[in-house]
């Protein structure tokens, strides 16, 4: 009996525990359902608020757009465009009935004729707008404008004639009617063409830099026509897109003028060299204040430098060589010159008198003794000049190699070689070409290609 009681008690306790667990689970599920319902309600409420805010923003935006649209309607551009179209419509409505009545009075079979004339004018005007949109050549647009003018002029003449023959009017009224019909016929196409012209000009949105570049290109082609034409030939000879005009123009400039500096020409280079030489002479003409000087015109010169006593022939030869070297170099400062060895025996130069004889022939002439060397007062006669040794081409090339050993390729010019070895311009150019060829051969094929 006790065992049964204990089992019943245990069963009731288990049932009670199970009910408690079920109640707790049901409470948990209820709480979760309520929580989910609250979250769903919160989401719905938030969504409704967002929808209301979005709708409010949309209404504000629409009202702003409507206000801006109402304000944009009154802008000068819209007024001009829409006003022009209104005037064009009024012009067509005013001119077409008069043409229809004119041709119908002649014959009802001519009814399509005014429509064709007026339509031709407007179709050609639309063709001008299409040509502007497609950027067609200018002659196409002007041809279409000529057709517009012809059709509108013919229609205006018809309306003018019709206005002059209106019945029941005085002569003045008929004249005014004819002029008014002709004017309104021409007014529509003219206003439409002016509108198209203004629209095309206002559509040009190029920047000031682009317009300045076009002006520069036109100016360069006008001032350097030959070089620009040669550059165009280079561009057309190269494959498409491989050579731009700027590179071709630089090559053409170097070919035409002989220099790779833009704007520099042989004449300008010569003027620049003369200016540099004049500046060098003016800088070297500065005299020490302690040195006595004598004035010749507006220039101050140093007294002659004392030279060792030489024979008359040697004195004149040395001074002649110095003058020739200064003329070759283009400077006034004396350059160090190695005097040529005097010949073993030279016949004395004949003494030439520039004054007429006073009636008696002098027995002989004796040179005056002076510590100062005699200076040449004019061109030295050829017989009094010492013979300068003629250097062979190999000697000149050897001297040029020595003088230009540390020169760069840019410094290797004919003018620099001429000044360095004291030779003629023609020989200097030959030496320049020879030295450049030697440098290119020494550089090798790889560096030459680079």
């Amino acid at each position: 009996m006790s065992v049964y009681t204990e089992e019943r008690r245990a069963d009731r306790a288990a049932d009670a525990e199970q009910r408690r667990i079920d109640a707790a689970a049901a409470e948990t599920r209820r709480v979760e359902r309520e929580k989910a319902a609250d979250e769903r309600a919160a989401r719905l409420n938030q969504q409704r608020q967002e929808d209301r805010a979005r709708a409010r923003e949309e209404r504000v935006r629409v009202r702003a757009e409507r206000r801006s649209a109402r304000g944009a309607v009154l802008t000068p551009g819209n007024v001009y465009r829409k006003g022009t179209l209104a005037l064009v419509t009024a012009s067509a409505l005013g001119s077409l009935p008069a043409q229809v009545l004119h041709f119908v009075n002649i014959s009802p079979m001519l009814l399509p004729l005014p429509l064709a004339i007026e339509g031709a004018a407007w179709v050609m005007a639309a063709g001008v707008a299409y040509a502007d949109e497609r950027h067609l050549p200018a002659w196409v647009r002007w041809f279409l404008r000529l057709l517009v003018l012809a059709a509108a002029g013919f229609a205006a003449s018809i309306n003018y004639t019709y206005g002059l023959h209106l019945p029941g009017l005085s002569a003045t009224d008929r004249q005014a009617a004819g002029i008014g019909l002709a004017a309104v016929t021409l007014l529509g196409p003219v206003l439409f063409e002016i509108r198209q012209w203004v629209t095309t000009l206002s559509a040009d949105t190029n920047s000031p830099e682009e317009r300045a570049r076009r002006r520069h290109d036109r100016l360069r082609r006008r001032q350097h026509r030959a070089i620009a034409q040669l550059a165009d030939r280079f561009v057309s000879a190269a494959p498409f897109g491989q050579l731009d005009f700027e590179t071709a123009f630089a090559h053409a400039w170097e070919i035409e003028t002989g220099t790779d500096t833009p704007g520099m020409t042989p004449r300008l280079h010569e003027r620049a060299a003369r200016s540099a030489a004049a500046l060098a002479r003016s800088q070297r003409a500065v005299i020490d204040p302690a040195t006595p000087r004598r004035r010749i015109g507006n220039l101050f010169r140093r007294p002659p430098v004392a030279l060792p006593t030489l024979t008359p022939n040697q004195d004149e030869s040395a001074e002649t060589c110095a003058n020739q070297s200064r003329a070759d170099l283009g400077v006034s400062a004396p350059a160090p010159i190695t005097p040529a060895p005097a010949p073993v025996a030279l016949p004395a130069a004949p003494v030439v008198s520039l004054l007429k004889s006073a009636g008696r022939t002098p027995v002989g002439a004796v040179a005056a003794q002076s510590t100062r060397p005699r200076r040449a007062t004019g061109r030295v006669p050829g017989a009094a000049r010492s013979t300068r040794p003629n250097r062979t081409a190999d000697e000149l090339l050897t001297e040029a190699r020595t003088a230009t050993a540390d020169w760069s390729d840019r410094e290797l010019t004919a003018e620099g070689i001429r000044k360095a070895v004291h030779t003629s311009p023609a020989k200097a150019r030959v030496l320049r070409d020879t030295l450049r060829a030697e440098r290119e051969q020494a550089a090798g094929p790889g560096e030459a290609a680079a």
Side-chain angles (χ1 to χ4, degrees), residues 272-286 329-334 419:
R274 287 200 301 266
S275 301
L279 180 60
R281 286 196 298 269
S282 63
Q283 291 177 352
R284 295 181 182 180
V286 178
L329 291 173
V331 296
S332 61
K419 292 181 180 181

Short mmCIF file of all heavy atoms in Angstrom, two decimals, residues 272-286 329-334 419:
data_model
loop_
_atom_site.label_atom_id
_atom_site.label_comp_id
_atom_site.label_asym_id
_atom_site.label_seq_id
_atom_site.Cartn_x
_atom_site.Cartn_y
_atom_site.Cartn_z
N ALA A 272 72.21 88.35 -83.48
CA ALA A 272 72.53 88.06 -82.09
C ALA A 272 74.04 87.96 -81.88
O ALA A 272 74.58 88.42 -80.86
CB ALA A 272 71.85 86.77 -81.66
N ALA A 273 74.74 87.35 -82.86
CA ALA A 273 76.20 87.25 -82.74
C ALA A 273 76.84 88.62 -82.78
O ALA A 273 77.78 88.91 -82.02
CB ALA A 273 76.75 86.36 -83.87
N ARG A 274 76.34 89.50 -83.69
CA ARG A 274 76.90 90.85 -83.74
C ARG A 274 76.63 91.62 -82.46
O ARG A 274 77.48 92.36 -81.95
CB ARG A 274 76.31 91.60 -84.94
CG ARG A 274 76.84 91.14 -86.28
CD ARG A 274 76.62 92.21 -87.34
NE ARG A 274 75.21 92.55 -87.48
CZ ARG A 274 74.40 92.00 -88.37
NH1 ARG A 274 74.87 91.05 -89.20
NH2 ARG A 274 73.13 92.36 -88.44
N SER A 275 75.44 91.44 -81.89
CA SER A 275 75.13 92.12 -80.63
C SER A 275 76.03 91.63 -79.51
O SER A 275 76.50 92.42 -78.68
CB SER A 275 73.66 91.89 -80.27
OG SER A 275 72.81 92.39 -81.29
N ALA A 276 76.26 90.30 -79.47
CA ALA A 276 77.15 89.76 -78.43
C ALA A 276 78.57 90.29 -78.61
O ALA A 276 79.26 90.61 -77.63
CB ALA A 276 77.13 88.24 -78.48
N ALA A 277 79.03 90.38 -79.87
CA ALA A 277 80.38 90.90 -80.10
C ALA A 277 80.48 92.37 -79.71
O ALA A 277 81.47 92.81 -79.10
CB ALA A 277 80.75 90.72 -81.58
N ALA A 278 79.43 93.15 -80.02
CA ALA A 278 79.45 94.56 -79.63
C ALA A 278 79.45 94.71 -78.11
O ALA A 278 80.12 95.58 -77.55
CB ALA A 278 78.25 95.28 -80.23
N LEU A 279 78.67 93.87 -77.42
CA LEU A 279 78.67 93.92 -75.96
C LEU A 279 80.03 93.55 -75.39
O LEU A 279 80.51 94.18 -74.44
CB LEU A 279 77.60 92.97 -75.43
CG LEU A 279 77.45 92.89 -73.90
CD1 LEU A 279 77.10 94.26 -73.33
CD2 LEU A 279 76.42 91.86 -73.51
N ALA A 280 80.68 92.55 -76.00
CA ALA A 280 82.02 92.18 -75.53
C ALA A 280 83.01 93.32 -75.75
O ALA A 280 83.86 93.60 -74.89
CB ALA A 280 82.49 90.91 -76.24
N ARG A 281 82.90 94.00 -76.91
CA ARG A 281 83.82 95.13 -77.16
C ARG A 281 83.58 96.26 -76.17
O ARG A 281 84.53 96.87 -75.68
CB ARG A 281 83.62 95.63 -78.58
CG ARG A 281 84.20 94.71 -79.64
CD ARG A 281 84.32 95.43 -80.97
NE ARG A 281 83.02 95.85 -81.46
CZ ARG A 281 82.26 95.11 -82.26
NH1 ARG A 281 82.67 93.90 -82.63
NH2 ARG A 281 81.09 95.54 -82.68
N SER A 282 82.30 96.53 -75.87
CA SER A 282 82.02 97.62 -74.92
C SER A 282 82.50 97.27 -73.51
O SER A 282 82.94 98.15 -72.77
CB SER A 282 80.52 97.91 -74.91
OG SER A 282 79.81 96.77 -74.44
N GLN A 283 82.43 96.00 -73.15
CA GLN A 283 82.91 95.61 -71.82
C GLN A 283 84.43 95.63 -71.74
O GLN A 283 85.00 95.99 -70.72
CB GLN A 283 82.39 94.22 -71.47
CG GLN A 283 80.88 94.18 -71.23
CD GLN A 283 80.39 92.78 -70.96
OE1 GLN A 283 81.15 91.81 -71.09
NE2 GLN A 283 79.11 92.66 -70.59
N ARG A 284 85.08 95.27 -72.84
CA ARG A 284 86.55 95.27 -72.82
C ARG A 284 87.15 96.64 -73.04
O ARG A 284 88.34 96.84 -72.89
CB ARG A 284 87.06 94.31 -73.88
CG ARG A 284 86.69 92.86 -73.58
CD ARG A 284 87.22 91.92 -74.63
NE ARG A 284 86.83 90.54 -74.35
CZ ARG A 284 87.15 89.50 -75.11
NH1 ARG A 284 87.86 89.69 -76.21
NH2 ARG A 284 86.76 88.29 -74.77
N ALA A 285 86.30 97.62 -73.45
CA ALA A 285 86.81 98.96 -73.67
C ALA A 285 86.87 99.78 -72.39
O ALA A 285 87.22 100.95 -72.41
CB ALA A 285 85.93 99.69 -74.68
N VAL A 286 86.50 99.17 -71.23
CA VAL A 286 86.60 99.89 -69.96
C VAL A 286 88.08 100.08 -69.61
O VAL A 286 88.86 99.12 -69.64
CB VAL A 286 85.88 99.09 -68.85
CG1 VAL A 286 86.03 99.80 -67.52
CG2 VAL A 286 84.41 98.93 -69.20
N LEU A 329 87.86 86.96 -85.66
CA LEU A 329 87.18 86.62 -84.41
C LEU A 329 86.00 87.53 -84.13
O LEU A 329 85.12 87.19 -83.39
CB LEU A 329 88.16 86.71 -83.23
CG LEU A 329 89.25 85.64 -83.19
CD1 LEU A 329 90.23 85.95 -82.09
CD2 LEU A 329 88.66 84.26 -83.01
N GLY A 330 85.91 88.69 -84.70
CA GLY A 330 84.81 89.61 -84.46
C GLY A 330 84.91 90.35 -83.16
O GLY A 330 83.95 90.88 -82.66
N VAL A 331 86.11 90.41 -82.53
CA VAL A 331 86.30 91.13 -81.28
C VAL A 331 87.45 92.09 -81.45
O VAL A 331 88.27 91.96 -82.37
CB VAL A 331 86.60 90.15 -80.12
CG1 VAL A 331 85.40 89.25 -79.88
CG2 VAL A 331 87.82 89.31 -80.40
N SER A 332 87.49 93.08 -80.54
CA SER A 332 88.52 94.10 -80.64
C SER A 332 89.74 93.80 -79.78
O SER A 332 90.79 94.39 -79.97
CB SER A 332 87.94 95.46 -80.24
OG SER A 332 87.49 95.39 -78.90
N ALA A 333 89.59 92.91 -78.80
CA ALA A 333 90.72 92.62 -77.92
C ALA A 333 91.74 91.78 -78.66
O ALA A 333 91.39 90.88 -79.40
CB ALA A 333 90.25 91.89 -76.68
N PRO A 334 93.02 92.06 -78.50
CA PRO A 334 94.05 91.27 -79.21
C PRO A 334 94.09 89.85 -78.68
O PRO A 334 94.02 89.61 -77.50
CB PRO A 334 95.35 92.04 -78.91
CG PRO A 334 95.07 92.79 -77.65
CD PRO A 334 93.63 93.12 -77.66
N LYS A 419 86.35 80.17 -84.91
CA LYS A 419 87.04 81.01 -83.93
C LYS A 419 88.18 80.27 -83.23
O LYS A 419 89.16 80.88 -82.82
CB LYS A 419 86.03 81.50 -82.90
CG LYS A 419 85.01 82.48 -83.46
CD LYS A 419 84.06 82.94 -82.37
CE LYS A 419 83.04 83.93 -82.92
NZ LYS A 419 82.12 84.40 -81.87
#
